[in-house]
Amino acid sequence: MTLVGTSARRADGEDKVRGAARYGMDYLEHGTLVAKVLRSTVPAARITRLDCSKAASMPGVRAVATAADAPGLSGLMIVKDQSLFARDVIRYVGEPLAAVTADTAEQAEAALAAIDVSLDELEPVLDLEQALAQGTRLIHPDWESYETAMPGPREGNLAWETRVERGDVDTAFDTAHLVVEDEYRTQRQHQSPIEPHAAVARYEQGRYVVHTPTQFPHNVRGRIAELLGIRLSDVRVIVPTIGGGFGGKLDVMVEPFACVLARKTGRPVRILNSRSEEMTTCGPRENAIVRLRTAVASDGTILAQDGVVLADNGANSSGETVAVANVAPLVLGGTYRIPNARYASKVAYTNTTPTAAFRGVNGPYCVYAQEQHLDHIARELGMDRKELRMNNLIRRGESMVNGQQLDDAFLVEAMDKVDEIRPWQDAQAERRPFRGVAVVPLTWLTNPLPAAASVKLEEDGTATVTCAGAEIGTGAVTTGVLQIVAERLGLRLEDVRVSPTDTDTGGFDGGAQGSRTTYGMGNAALDAATKVRDQVLEVAAGMLEAAVDDLEIVDGSVRVSGVPDQQVAIPSVVGTAMFDSGPIGASGKFATPPIPFDSGCMAGAAVTSFPAALYQAHMTEVEVDPDTGRVTVLRYVVAQDVGRAINPQMIEGQIQGGVLQGIGYALFENLRLGDNGEVIDDNLESYRLPTAADAPPIEAAILENPCSYGPLGAKGAAEPPIIPVAAVIGCAVADAIGKPINELPLTPFAVLQAIKES
């Protein structure tokens, strides 16, 4: 039976399309109270008075919580600088000051209005460059007191810095034929899942039980424990059906408020963000500035690159911005041979909403900058843009900027596949005014965090997988992982089920992020299923009086190879084992093997390499309306290495969705901040998301280039499609209008201005 490599039907699909799935925002318990949060309306201030006494005595109000109820500091992995409520100082518009729970939402809102707050306002630091300027007010004056997970360059408003340096950069610049320098600026982008953040918490037997639609239940468990100053084991996280995440539900958001109030009241407490709260307080992709300076030879060979990336952390490190800072240098130096490189990735505090993970983290804006910059070099040299890229691509056995050798580099093959679908020369020959074309290659990583899973055989011969992997809609847990287990055990896909995600029953899992679920959880489940298979064969060998090596599992039975009549059904094997060796089941685990790299070339790096590296190429053709500035994507081609395609249809769906999200980032989306640091676009009317009407024809070619330590050769697949989209569209628009635009998004106004200037 071959299941892996087939487009098996989604196991969770029917409930979702019929409206029967129960999402996190649907979950309620008997006697549940309603929670609301009072948030700051100013970006920077000292709190001189916070009086909740009137609110606490209002009708229907059951409890009020403030900073005194949550003593801990937290932060995602690296810097612990976030408190649940503002303590003495406010650092951004939307920062929580207090939380109220009441019988009804109206009573809770009335109580918030009754809280007496007096502030001594401070001059806000809103600009990324201003934040790092000498003499600027410190947003965290006590920054040195914060716990950090590792040593790293940081000082004042510099929340974190990573550095990568290899070779003799200065000499390469001194001897270069050409030096090109550019600066690029990019915007904030909101994840905008259809389901906002929600949680229901109760406090029982000294523990917090939290139902929340999170992508990373073990992270949420840990962050709740840190913020409340309790043990990890005092928190249990259960994950219902999730209505989208795209990175926005990796981090703790509303869950701790529900926990604190549940403990104070002894009742279940529910908190649900409004769309406005979702847009204004839940960490978006960071805005950034990328500065690149490159030295090249007369034939276009890259000799050296010097780059600085400035990323906006917002007011604290509650999101991934600090943790993934070193991804920026690695993606800049991971696709092309750059023998001499010097990169600094700086993350700065500002008095704005904290930023966080979004699909592709800092990849989209780094690739946008690098590819626009390469087009500039090609123009200066009078060289074909694709030829410049092909001449500098990393080949098999060559190294990234961190010294990691890419023995399975597949960039040339990806570029060739795109050219097979839409030949570059044909696209160039068919050009006409205000039409442009571009092609962009990319090396990316698969998130390496560990995973654990258990597999047991039921008495009827079916299998149950137990894990803490979160199914966020990709099908990775509910279908992909099950395909791997079913194939290993010789079962039908419908005979394998996965139990609900629960940190009490599932071992640690690194979350649904960075395309790691099929890779990490798939490996752990494969390990467990292999052990279960071994147990089945051992018991069956005794029943069939045959050697284990002579047995095979086919269609739910164990049989002697070549003798199909000599077989025993798996339920009989399970029944025999039950009172002989015991129930059949096993636990599996996986950790990514160490990736060799040059540790001496980096400082402050949490991400040091690209595990299970994958390779892709994107090509697009666009048309620009010279009267309106509107950009229309006419055609889009993707060739993506996935290692091994476990479920091709699901991969194609991820490519389609990732490209459309990338189109939004390139052309429409911009989470704007006002003069006071407040989010202007607090609804989906003013925040422009792409729709089906904006989707071009997308042609996807899935390339199989197996990873030696991936499950059956698989790598990540879902995250990478978004990353090169803004870059390839930006380059194509520049080709169409004859002038590059060094700032995203490429709105009609920006395009018209560029046309006017050109």
Side-chain angles (χ1 to χ4, degrees):
M1 180 185 299
T2 300
L3 283 170
V4 168
T6 67
S7 296
R9 185 179 180 183
R10 287 277 297 271
D12 59 342
E14 186 167 334
D15 280 353
K16 288 181 175 179
V17 298
R18 290 183 180 276
R22 193 179 187 191
Y23 290 87
M25 65 183 296
D26 300 325
Y27 183 79
L28 285 174
E29 295 184 6
H30 179 70
T32 299
L33 300 171
V34 177
K36 296 288 182 179
V37 178
L38 178 68
R39 298 181 180 274
S40 171
T41 57
V42 301
R46 293 188 183 89
I47 302 172
T48 58
R49 177 180 173 82
L50 182 65
D51 186 353
C52 301
S53 56
K54 182 178 178 181
S57 63
M58 293 183 69
V61 173
R62 302 294 179 172
V64 178
T66 63
D69 298 296
L73 288 176
S74 185
L76 187 62
M77 293 176 60
I78 306 297
V79 182
K80 308 298 182 181
D81 58 8
Q82 175 204 10
S83 57
L84 182 57
F85 297 99
R87 302 176 185 173
D88 303 324
V89 176
I90 289 169
R91 294 185 172 92
Y92 66 96
V93 173
E95 184 166 15
L97 304 179
V100 170
T101 189
D103 295 336
T104 68
E106 293 75 16
Q107 290 169 333
E109 293 282 6
L112 293 184
I115 296 175
D116 184 11
V117 183
S118 297
L119 305 174
D120 181 7
E121 293 193 35
L122 302 170
E123 184 68 25
V125 179
L126 304 175
D127 180 75
L128 186 52
E129 293 171 290
Q130 176 201 357
L132 297 178
Q134 192 71 27
T136 299
R137 181 181 65 81
L138 297 185
I139 294 171
H140 290 268
D142 50 353
W143 64 270
E144 290 180 280
S145 68
Y146 296 145
E147 177 189 347
T148 59
M150 58 187 289
R154 55 190 295 267
E155 181 179 8
N157 286 337
L158 180 66
W160 199 259
E161 180 178 354
T162 70
R163 300 172 190 153
V164 176
E165 185 164 358
R166 285 177 62 85
D168 190 344
V169 177
D170 294 330
T171 298
F173 273 98
D174 290 341
T175 59
H177 169 75
L178 174 70
V179 174
V180 174
E181 188 168 357
D182 288 301
E183 178 181 283
Y184 303 90
R185 293 174 179 257
T186 60
Q187 77 283 28
R188 293 187 173 199
Q189 183 188 20
H190 196 272
Q191 300 86 350
S192 299
I194 194 169
E195 176 194 40
H197 283 80
V200 174
R202 65 180 185 272
Y203 187 70
E204 60 183 25
Q205 299 178 359
R207 299 181 75 208
Y208 299 90
V209 180
V210 188
H211 292 256
T212 181
T214 174
Q215 296 176 233
F216 194 172
H218 278 93
N219 178 50
V220 168
R221 181 185 71 160
R223 298 289 300 284
I224 291 171
E226 282 186 338
L227 288 166
L228 303 190
I230 57 177
R231 300 178 302 174
L232 277 174
S233 57
D234 290 336
V235 183
R236 177 186 181 189
V237 175
I238 301 169
V239 182
T241 304
I242 305 171
F246 311 114
K249 290 179 181 172
L250 285 170
D251 307 321
V252 72
M253 288 290 175
V254 298
E255 298 87 354
F257 302 119
C259 288
V260 169
L261 294 167
R263 176 174 53 81
K264 297 191 78 167
T265 61
R267 297 262 299 275
V269 173
R270 177 178 185 251
I271 184 167
L272 172 66
N273 269 352
S274 65
R275 182 57 59 180
S276 176
E277 288 171 320
E278 192 73 8
M279 301 293 290
T280 59
T281 67
C282 297
R285 189 193 308 280
E286 68 276 12
N287 51 297
I289 301 170
V290 182
R291 297 179 179 129
L292 296 175
R293 180 170 168 260
T294 302
V296 296
S298 58
D299 64 355
T301 300
I302 298 173
L303 304 176
Q305 188 167 76
D306 195 349
V308 176
V309 178
L310 305 180
D312 195 338
N313 201 41
N316 61 50
S317 307
S318 55
E320 280 195 350
T321 312
V322 162
V324 300
N326 203 57
V327 172
L330 297 188
V331 74
L332 287 170
T335 299
Y336 303 104
R337 291 187 303 276
I338 305 177
N340 305 286
R342 180 169 54 219
Y343 297 118
S345 179
K346 302 181 180 185
V347 181
Y349 288 121
T350 60
N351 285 124
T352 63
T353 306
T355 57
F358 192 136
R359 189 179 195 169
V361 290
N362 48 30
Y365 58 77
C366 288
V367 176
Y368 172 76
Q370 183 73 291
E371 297 298 329
Q372 290 271 56
H373 185 62
L374 288 176
D375 274 6
H376 185 181
I377 292 170
R379 288 193 299 273
E380 294 291 332
L381 293 172
M383 190 173 183
D384 179 80
R385 292 171 292 142
K386 183 186 177 187
E387 181 184 353
L388 175 69
R389 287 167 170 81
M390 294 299 293
N391 290 349
N392 287 284
L393 278 183
I394 290 176
R395 263 74 172 177
R396 287 179 185 266
E398 295 179 339
S399 297
M400 294 172 50
V401 70
N402 62 342
Q404 176 185 345
Q405 188 169 303
L406 299 178
D407 293 325
D408 67 341
F410 217 62
L411 292 165
V412 172
E413 291 83 350
M415 291 286 277
D416 287 347
K417 187 63 179 180
V418 165
D419 199 63
E420 178 186 319
I421 297 169
R422 178 54 167 153
W424 178 255
Q425 294 302 327
D426 291 355
Q428 293 285 80
E430 295 168 14
R431 286 184 57 202
R432 58 181 194 254
F434 294 103
R435 282 202 175 186
V437 61
V439 64
V440 165
L442 175 69
T443 302
W444 192 245
L445 75 157
T446 305
N447 186 298
L449 290 180
S454 298
V455 175
K456 67 172 181 175
L457 285 182
E458 308 292 353
E459 290 87 337
D460 60 2
T462 61
T464 299
V465 179
T466 301
C467 67
E471 174 55 71
I472 58 168
T474 64
V477 174
T478 58
T479 307
V481 169
L482 301 192
Q483 284 180 261
I484 293 171
V485 171
E487 177 146 317
R488 182 50 52 102
L489 295 180
L491 299 175
R492 299 177 305 168
L493 183 60
E494 55 266 37
D495 291 334
V496 184
R497 294 181 176 85
V498 62
S499 58
T501 302
D502 185 335
T503 56
D504 266 14
T505 59
F508 181 86
D509 179 69
Q513 58 171 322
S515 298
R516 64 160 299 282
T517 301
T518 299
Y519 165 77
M521 184 56 65
N523 261 318
L526 180 62
D527 182 34
T530 300
K531 294 173 182 176
V532 167
R533 178 186 176 88
D534 291 344
Q535 294 173 39
V536 168
L537 293 177
E538 184 176 350
V539 174
M543 297 172 69
L544 294 169
E545 297 182 346
V548 168
D549 292 343
D550 293 335
L551 301 180
E552 60 183 0
I553 305 178
V554 180
D555 295 334
S557 294
V558 183
R559 69 186 187 190
V560 179
S561 299
V563 189
D565 292 338
Q566 194 174 349
Q567 63 178 307
V568 60
I570 287 181
S572 296
V573 177
V574 175
T576 299
M578 187 71 70
F579 298 100
D580 184 0
S581 55
I584 293 179
S587 294
K589 59 185 178 180
F590 174 73
T592 298
I595 308 297
F597 65 94
D598 179 7
S599 60
C601 74
M602 287 182 283
V607 179
T608 56
S609 61
F610 274 12
L614 48 93
Y615 312 92
Q616 60 180 321
H618 287 217
M619 180 264 194
T620 193
E621 295 173 78
V622 305
E623 184 171 51
V624 176
D625 186 326
D627 296 321
T628 65
R630 181 184 178 187
V631 176
T632 300
V633 181
L634 302 172
R635 185 176 185 180
Y636 205 99
V637 179
V638 178
Q640 182 171 320
D641 161 31
V642 301
R644 185 174 180 191
I646 303 298
N647 187 308
Q649 187 179 65
M650 293 198 310
I651 293 171
E652 289 176 16
Q654 291 304 308
I655 291 173
Q656 297 270 344
V659 168
L660 192 57
Q661 275 190 319
I663 288 173
Y665 185 59
L667 301 180
F668 312 126
E669 297 182 55
N670 184 3
L671 193 69
R672 297 171 297 170
L673 300 179
D675 295 337
N676 207 33
E678 77 282 9
V679 173
I680 296 173
D681 302 293
D682 65 349
N683 59 71
L684 295 180
E685 289 183 84
S686 64
Y687 186 76
R688 169 77 157 90
L689 288 170
T691 69
D694 301 303
I698 301 171
E699 299 161 78
I702 296 173
L703 308 180
E704 293 196 316
N705 174 34
C707 173
S708 61
Y709 48 87
L712 307 179
K715 304 176 181 180
E719 182 174 50
I722 192 177
I723 296 165
V725 180
V728 74
I729 290 176
C731 291
V733 169
D735 183 44
I737 66 175
K739 181 179 176 60
I741 301 174
N742 290 7
E743 187 167 347
L744 290 177
L746 306 174
T747 64
F749 306 105
V751 174
L752 277 176
Q753 182 63 31
I755 292 172
K756 180 180 178 182
E757 292 173 359
S758 67

